[in-house]
């Protein structure tokens, strides 16, 4: 049974540079992520190409929102962007022709444009150089009335369940065999594939401790 998968990680401004190096394949080697096959990195592609450095993309959107809403406050601990992984069960994507794989991620991008606003998305890059194709999509959590609020845009556990339901419904309209796992809000168990959990954990380690190991656990998909 194939699954439509999306996972959110709330980020402050600090990790932007490290994530950019990973997402945009700006590093010379990826010792912390052995799944990266750099000989295949030329197969990666953008559906949304950042025009500036990640941090500049984030700040430009926040500053634009502040001009429209002078009451917008950005605290030191504010979540400034959301790092999203979009993928599907490995066997599902492996059986699709390349053009259908691309269509899968374009359809996912359409979903996020409608949900969070196309203007808030500053990068969407598809990685074809790892074991399973996946898209890293980053956006600034700005509300329609120009407030920076990850809590309102992404929400807590209950809203994350709604996110997964809506994403599955959107994707299965064109890919009807897709399902979604039973909510972790109900079972209290982790419902992301082991390979995706390990990939997210490696990325967090690389971001926090480039030369070492972090004990930080990434947020899990609901």
């Amino acid at each position: 049974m194939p699954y439509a998968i999306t996972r959110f990680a709330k980020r402050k401004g600090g990790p932007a540079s490290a994530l950019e190096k990973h997402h945009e394949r700006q590093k010379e080697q990826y010792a912390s992520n052995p799944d990266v096959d750099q000989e295949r990195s030329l197969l990666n592609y953008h559906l949304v190409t950042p025009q500036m450095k990640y941090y500049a993309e984030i700040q430009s959107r926040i500053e634009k929102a502040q001009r429209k809403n002078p009451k917008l406050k950005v605290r030191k601990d504010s979540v400034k962007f959301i790092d999203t992984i979009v993928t599907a069960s490995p066997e599902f994507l492996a059986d699709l022709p390349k053009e259908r794989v691309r269509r899968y991620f374009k359809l996912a991008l359409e979903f996020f444009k409608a949900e969070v606003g196309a203007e808030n998305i500053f990068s969407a890059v598809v990685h074809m150089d790892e074991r399973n194709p996946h898209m890293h999509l980053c956006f600034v959590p700005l509300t329609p009335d120009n407030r920076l609020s990850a809590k309102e845009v992404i929400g807590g556990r209950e809203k994350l369940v709604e996110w997964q339901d809506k994403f599955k419904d959107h994707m299965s309209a064109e890919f009807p065999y897709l399902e979604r796992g039973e909510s972790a809000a109900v079972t209290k168990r982790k419902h992301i594939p082991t390979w995706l959990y390990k990939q997210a954990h490696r990325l967090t380690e690389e971001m926090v401790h480039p030369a070492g190991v972090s004990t930080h656990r990434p947020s899990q998909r609901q």
Side-chain angles (χ1 to χ4, degrees):
M1 182 180 296
Y3 294 96
I5 300 168
T6 185
R7 169 196 167 273
F8 300 107
K10 298 176 181 179
R11 306 291 190 188
K12 300 175 185 178
S17 178
L19 286 169
E20 178 181 358
K21 289 177 181 178
H22 176 85
H23 293 358
E24 307 299 326
R25 291 298 190 254
Q26 296 171 352
K27 300 178 66 174
E28 293 184 2
Q29 57 183 347
Y30 295 86
S32 63
N33 189 351
D35 287 343
V36 176
D37 181 354
Q38 291 181 278
E39 292 185 359
R40 300 180 66 242
S41 293
L42 290 174
L43 300 175
N44 298 344
Y45 55 88
H46 283 86
L47 295 181
V48 175
T49 303
Q51 301 303 304
M52 300 178 285
K53 294 288 187 180
Y54 275 21
Y55 193 80
E57 292 277 7
I58 294 163
Q59 287 300 110
S60 67
R61 285 166 172 78
I62 292 175
E63 290 169 5
K64 183 178 180 180
Q66 285 177 318
R67 290 193 293 269
K68 295 180 178 179
N69 177 16
K71 294 183 180 180
L72 190 158
K73 303 296 182 182
V74 182
R75 302 185 309 273
K76 187 176 181 179
D77 62 345
S78 292
V79 172
K80 290 188 175 181
F81 71 107
I82 308 297
D83 175 30
T84 311
I85 291 179
V86 176
T87 186
S89 301
E91 65 276 8
F92 171 76
L93 293 176
D95 289 341
L96 290 180
K98 289 183 179 180
E99 62 273 15
R100 291 295 287 163
V101 173
R102 190 181 186 96
R103 176 56 188 161
Y104 179 87
F105 291 115
K106 290 183 72 173
L107 189 65
L109 176 61
E110 291 173 9
F111 170 81
F112 280 97
K113 284 182 175 180
E115 293 294 326
V116 306
E119 68 281 3
N120 295 325
I121 300 171
F122 59 86
S123 179
V125 57
V126 178
H127 285 173
M128 301 294 291
D129 59 357
E130 295 185 54
R131 186 160 63 89
N132 195 47
H134 57 275
M135 178 167 66
H136 291 281
L137 184 147
C138 294
F139 64 92
V140 180
L142 288 165
T143 65
D145 59 347
N146 295 293
R147 289 178 294 108
L148 184 66
S149 179
K151 182 178 181 180
E152 185 168 328
V153 174
I154 298 300
R157 184 176 293 274
E158 290 186 2
K159 189 168 181 178
L160 285 172
V161 173
E162 294 178 11
W163 269 101
Q164 299 298 338
D165 288 337
K166 288 193 293 184
F167 181 68
K168 179 265 175 183
D169 290 344
H170 177 85
M171 301 303 290
S172 63
E174 189 163 328
F175 296 89
Y177 299 108
L178 288 172
E179 298 289 344
R180 63 149 294 169
E182 188 178 2
S183 171
V186 176
T187 66
K188 310 301 182 186
R189 291 185 284 114
K190 182 171 84 262
H191 283 284
I192 62 174
T194 300
W195 65 267
L196 179 57
Y197 178 78
K198 289 181 177 179
Q199 178 189 77
H201 189 45
R202 279 196 300 267
L203 180 56
T204 301
E205 289 178 349
E206 184 177 323
M207 178 188 70
V208 179
H209 292 290
V213 177
S214 166
T215 58
H216 175 76
R217 292 172 65 88
S219 58
Q220 299 170 0
R221 189 180 71 92
Q222 302 301 313

